Amino acid sequence: MAAAAGLAAAVAAALGALLMAPGLSQPDGQGAPGARGAAAAERRRSGRMDQALLLVRNELPAPGLNLAARSGSCHQCLYQFLAFVPPSNESLRKPGTVSVMVDTQHPLTLLLNSSVGDRDLCKIQYHFGEFGNYSLVVKTLSTSTQTVSCDLIINEGPINSYLPILFAFLVYMGILAILIAGRLLMKIDPVRNWVYKKLNPRATDRMINSELGSPNTDSINCDPTPQSWSTGSRQRLRSLDTFRGLSLVIMVFVNYGGGKYWFFKHVSWNGLTVADLVFPWFVFIMGTSIALALGSMLRWGSSKWKVLRKIIWRSFVLILLGIIVVNPNYCLGPLSWDNLRIPGVLQRLGFTYLVVAALELLFTRADSGTWEGRFPALQDILPYWPQWIFILVLETIWLCLTFLLPVPDCPRGYLGPGGIGDFGKYPNCTGGAAGYIDRLILGEKHMYQHPSSGVTYQSTMPYDPEGILGTINSIVMAFLGLQAGKITLFYKDHPKQIMSRFIIWGIVMGVISAILTKCSKEEGFIPVNKNLWSISYVTTMSCFAFVLLLLIYYLVDVKKWWSGAPFLYPGMNSILVYIGHQVFANYFPFKWKMQDSQSHAEHLIQNLTATTLWVIISYILYRRRIFWKI
C-alpha cells in the first residue's frame, strides 16, 4: 500500500491530461479535432456553465410575444418571464428577434403567448444541451386559420459535459487495477523478494531468511502495522470505518463542488441527489459506533457516570466546533452574534450523539450475552423497549408539530418550498412548521441564509436544513444505526444472522418508505425531503444504509476480499478530515485559480484533486497511527 499514496498523488495530473485533451467535446461540425476543441472553448467563454443560447425569431405582426419558462425540476411552479419578443417589421420583412440564456440542467417548458390578451400560442418541452445554440422560429402556417407554428432549430450542437466524469472514472479504475495487480504480484515469492532487494539491498539476505521471507502470505500484509496495534484492531469492525469513510469522501467531494454538476448538489426540495445521501449515512454509522463503543467501555470497567461525562464533553466539543470553526455565515462578515448561524452539521451530530448515546447508556449491558427472556430471536429489540417508546414519542412530536402546528399565513401541514412553488400561493411558507419554529426560536439571522430551494423555487425566506425540528428525525436515524450496532454485538459470531437481519431491516424500512411516499417524488403522504429531514427521508436512507453496510460487511469482515482501502483511512480520522476540508477549502493545493471557471472539467479536476489529497492525508496519518478523537 505504500505505492497507493504515490499513485493517488498522480491522479490530478492524469485527470488534467485526459479531461483537458482536445476533442472531448461533441463536435459542432466538420474540421480537425483541435478546431472543434477551440470552438467549444470559445463557446464556453461566451456563455455560462449549464446554459444554452436561444434565439427567438418572431415572424408574426404586432403586438409582440412574451416568452416564459418553467423548469422540470420545479414542481407546480409558476412560469417565469424570460423576454419580450418584438413583432416583425412587415415593411422591411424583418422578423423580431431576441436572445436569451436558458438552463440546461433540467428539461424546460417554454410558453409563448401574445403580449395583449395573454393568449397562449404554443408550448414546447425540451432539454437543452450545455453551450448549445438554438433558434425558436414563430410563424403563421395559414393566414386563413391563423395557425401558428413554433419550430425549434439546433444551430450548433451542445458539448457533452458528462465526458469528464467518464474519464475520471476510467482513471480511478485504472489506478485501482494497478493496485490490485501489484498486491497479487506481491504474493509471489520471487517477485516479493526482488522488490525487497530493490528497496533495501543490505537487508535482503536477512529478510529472506527470516519469517517474513517464508511462503506464509499472511505475514505480508498491505497494512504493515505493528503487531501489538493490529492485534487490538482485530476486534474492530473494519466495515464500519469503511462505511464511514465512504460517506465522508463523498461528503468532501460534494462540499467542494462536485464538478458543479447538478446531481452532486443538494436537491432543491423533494427527491434525492448524490449529495443528499451522505449526511444521513454518517449519522447512521455514528449510531452503530455508539452501540459498540459504549459496550466496550463498560466491559473495560468504566462506570456509567464516567462514560456519561465523556458523552457530554464530546457533544459539547462537536457543537462548539460547528458554531465557531465551521460556520458558513463567515461570508456575511466577521463572526459575531448578529450573524452567527446556530444550527449546522456538527451541531446536529453533537446533539444527536448526546441523545442517542445517553439513551443507550441507560440500558446497555457490560456483557452482550444471550437474553434469557422469551423470543431469543428478538434479543436485540425486546430488552430495549423503553428506548423504542422514547423514539416513538419523539416521532409523534415531529408528526404533531409538522402537521398540526398553526403557521401564520400558511396552510396547516404545509411541506412545500414556498416561493414560486404551489403556483405561488404560499411564497413565505418555506418549510412550513419546521421553518416557522426555527425563525421563532433562533431568529432569521441565525439560520442558513441561502437554502437550496432559493435557486429553483426563488424562495426568499431563510431556511436551515439542520434546524430544530429535523434534528428529531436525525435522532431517529442514529437510533436505527444503533440497532445495526446491537445486531453486530448480539450475533458477532454468526455473520449469517447479522446479514439476514440487515436484509430484514432494509426491507422493512423500504416498505415504510414506499407507503409514505406512494413510490412518488411529489405525490406521497410525506415526500422524501432532505431539507425537512422528513421521516420518509430517514426510512429511505436507512434502507440504503442497511443494504450498503451489509455489502461492505460481507466483503470486508466476512470474506475479507476487500481491506476497506482507501475509504478505511478517512473513516478512522473522520472529525479531522471533515473539519480540515472545511477550514482549508479555499487554500492551495485544495483550490486554485482556474483558466476557465465555466468548465465542468476544470471544476471536476479541482474537486477530485482536493478530495484525493484528503484521502492521502488520512492514509499518512493512519500509517503513523495518528487519530484525532474527541
Side-chain angles (χ1 to χ4, degrees):
M1 288 300 298
L7 286 170
V11 169
L15 283 174
L18 282 171
L19 297 178
M20 301 308 296
L24 292 187
S25 300
Q26 183 174 329
D28 303 324
Q30 301 299 319
R36 294 198 299 268
E42 179 62 30
R43 277 193 284 165
R44 283 199 299 269
R45 283 191 291 270
S46 61
R48 294 186 63 83
M49 187 188 305
D50 297 322
Q51 288 187 342
L53 178 65
L54 175 65
L55 174 67
V56 184
R57 294 169 52 91
N58 180 18
E59 298 183 6
L60 304 180
L65 305 175
N66 288 328
L67 175 66
R70 182 171 66 191
S71 172
S73 66
C74 198
H75 180 63
Q76 293 184 341
C77 287
L78 296 171
Y79 281 94
Q80 298 301 295
F81 176 79
L82 291 182
F84 171 76
V85 188
S88 65
N89 190 325
E90 294 184 346
S91 60
L92 298 177
R93 295 184 179 180
K94 182 179 179 181
T97 60
V98 67
S99 297
V100 294
M101 303 301 295
V102 292
D103 180 68
T104 63
Q105 296 180 86
H106 305 282
L108 287 181
T109 300
L110 299 177
L111 178 66
L112 275 167
N113 55 31
S114 175
S115 59
V116 176
D118 203 29
R119 180 172 67 93
D120 292 349
L121 298 178
C122 56
K123 185 183 295 184
I124 299 174
Q125 291 184 341
Y126 193 77
H127 196 167
F128 294 92
E130 188 175 26
F131 297 118
N133 189 318
Y134 303 85
S135 290
L136 179 59
V137 181
V138 185
K139 59 184 178 180
T140 303
L141 287 179
S142 172
T143 55
S144 59
T145 61
Q146 295 295 314
T147 304
V148 175
S149 71
C150 300
D151 299 321
L152 192 64
I153 301 170
I154 303 176
N155 302 323
E156 290 184 83
I159 68 169
N160 190 338
S161 58
Y162 301 113
L163 275 179
I165 297 178
L166 173 62
F167 278 86
F169 175 79
L170 294 177
V171 167
Y172 278 98
M173 288 300 101
I175 293 174
L176 178 62
I178 292 172
L179 292 175
I180 293 175
R183 185 175 181 182
L184 293 176
L185 287 174
M186 285 297 290
K187 291 184 178 181
I188 303 174
D189 286 348
V191 175
R192 184 171 66 249
N193 293 334
W194 180 82
V195 170
Y196 286 148
K197 181 178 179 180
K198 292 297 182 181
L199 292 177
N200 195 356
R202 295 182 179 180
T204 300
D205 294 336
R206 177 172 54 83
M207 294 181 72
I208 292 177
N209 294 329
S210 68
E211 292 181 359
L212 289 176
S214 67
N216 182 9
T217 56
D218 291 337
S219 62
I220 304 299
N221 197 313
C222 64
D223 176 22
T225 312
Q227 185 66 25
S228 59
W229 186 69
S230 63
T231 301
S233 298
R234 290 195 187 105
Q235 304 299 323
R236 189 182 184 101
L237 285 175
R238 296 171 70 94
S239 55
L240 302 187
D241 292 314
T242 303
F243 187 103
R244 185 187 299 108
L246 173 63
S247 304
L248 183 59
V249 168
I250 300 175
M251 185 185 295
V252 170
F253 175 63
V254 298
N255 283 351
Y256 276 142
K260 299 298 181 182
Y261 290 100
W262 67 267
F263 42 82
F264 291 136
K265 300 176 184 177
H266 290 295
V267 72
S268 295
W269 200 248
N270 293 335
L272 291 173
T273 63
V274 175
D276 300 313
L277 305 176
V278 289
F279 186 28
W281 285 351
F282 201 86
V283 173
F284 180 91
I285 209 65
M286 180 181 71
T288 307
S289 301
I290 288 172
L292 303 179
L294 292 189
S296 175
M297 292 172 71
L298 293 177
R299 284 194 299 272
W300 280 96
S302 297
S303 67
K304 285 195 173 184
W305 282 111
K306 182 179 179 181
V307 175
L308 181 60
R309 286 196 298 269
K310 280 190 150 185
I311 291 171
I312 295 173
W313 172 251
R314 190 182 191 204
S315 303
F316 171 74
V317 172
L318 283 172
I319 293 171
L320 195 64
L321 287 172
I323 292 177
I324 296 179
V325 180
V326 185
N327 200 307
N329 281 7
Y330 272 123
C331 61
L332 303 177
L335 193 63
S336 66
W337 178 250
D338 291 338
N339 56 21
L340 181 73
R341 183 195 179 199
I342 297 176
V345 171
L346 289 179
Q347 294 93 307
R348 174 167 284 184
L349 285 174
F351 188 78
T352 301
Y353 174 80
L354 174 64
V355 175
V356 176
L359 184 65
E360 174 64 8
L361 184 63
L362 291 175
F363 300 97
T364 192
R365 296 177 293 172
D367 61 335
S368 56
T370 305
W371 185 46
E372 300 297 335
R374 300 175 61 185
F375 308 110
L378 299 177
Q379 61 178 320
D380 55 321
I381 299 177
L382 293 183
Y384 302 96
W385 61 267
Q387 292 181 337
W388 285 96
I389 291 178
F390 178 82
I391 292 299
L392 290 175
V393 169
L394 272 185
E395 191 54 41
T396 302
I397 292 173
W398 183 87
L399 290 169
C400 291
L401 290 175
T402 300
F403 291 100
L404 300 179
L405 180 70
V407 179
D409 302 321
C410 300
R412 190 164 296 187
Y414 182 71
L415 299 175
I420 63 173
D422 300 290
F423 304 111
K425 295 178 181 177
Y426 317 111
N428 297 322
C429 295
T430 303
Y436 174 67
I437 290 173
D438 288 342
R439 291 190 291 271
L440 186 66
I441 297 177
L442 303 176
E444 292 188 5
K445 292 185 178 181
H446 301 296
M447 299 166 55
Y448 191 53
Q449 300 297 309
H450 306 288
S452 57
S453 60
V455 177
T456 301
Y457 289 93
Q458 299 182 21
S459 57
T460 57
M461 301 295 292
Y463 181 82
D464 209 303
E466 278 77 50
I468 296 172
L469 201 54
T471 303
I472 292 177
N473 283 339
S474 171
I475 293 170
V476 176
M477 186 81 192
F479 183 76
L480 291 171
L482 182 75
Q483 184 60 38
K486 291 176 182 176
I487 291 172
T488 59
L489 278 176
F490 283 103
Y491 305 100
K492 58 185 176 182
D493 297 324
H494 305 281
K496 290 184 178 179
Q497 295 275 21
I498 293 175
M499 292 187 291
S500 64
R501 277 162 173 76
F502 283 174
I503 292 174
I504 292 172
W505 275 99
I507 293 173
V508 170
M509 293 295 105
V511 170
I512 294 174
S513 295
I515 295 172
L516 292 175
T517 63
K518 298 182 182 178
C519 298
S520 168
K521 177 183 175 183
E522 304 284 355
E523 305 301 332
F525 300 109
I526 304 178
V528 172
N529 189 295
K530 189 265 179 188
N531 288 282
L532 296 170
W533 267 71
S534 61
I535 185 59
S536 58
Y537 176 68
V538 169
T539 54
T540 302
M541 291 298 97
S542 298
C543 171
F544 294 166
F546 275 111
V547 174
L548 184 57
L549 183 58
L550 163 67
L551 294 175
I552 296 176
Y553 173 73
Y554 180 75
L555 294 174
V556 174
D557 288 318
V558 178
K559 290 297 184 180
K560 303 189 186 305
W561 290 340
W562 179 27
S563 67
F567 305 115
L568 175 73
Y569 313 126
M572 296 187 72
N573 243 324
S574 55
I575 297 298
L576 185 147
V577 172
Y578 179 79
I579 294 178
H581 98 276
Q582 293 276 12
V583 172
F584 298 103
N586 295 318
Y587 294 89
F588 183 84
F590 305 105
K591 190 173 184 179
W592 59 84
K593 186 177 181 180
M594 298 182 184
Q595 293 182 350
D596 184 4
S597 62
Q598 300 304 317
S599 167
H600 279 292
E602 286 203 42
H603 281 282
L604 188 65
I605 293 171
Q606 187 177 90
N607 301 153
L608 284 175
T609 300
T611 306
T612 302
L613 285 173
W614 282 112
V615 174
I616 295 172
I617 290 170
S618 63
Y619 172 71
I620 294 172
L621 295 175
Y622 173 84
R623 291 295 301 268
R624 295 179 177 273
R625 290 183 281 165
I626 299 174
F627 304 100
W628 185 23
K629 302 294 182 182
I630 296 176

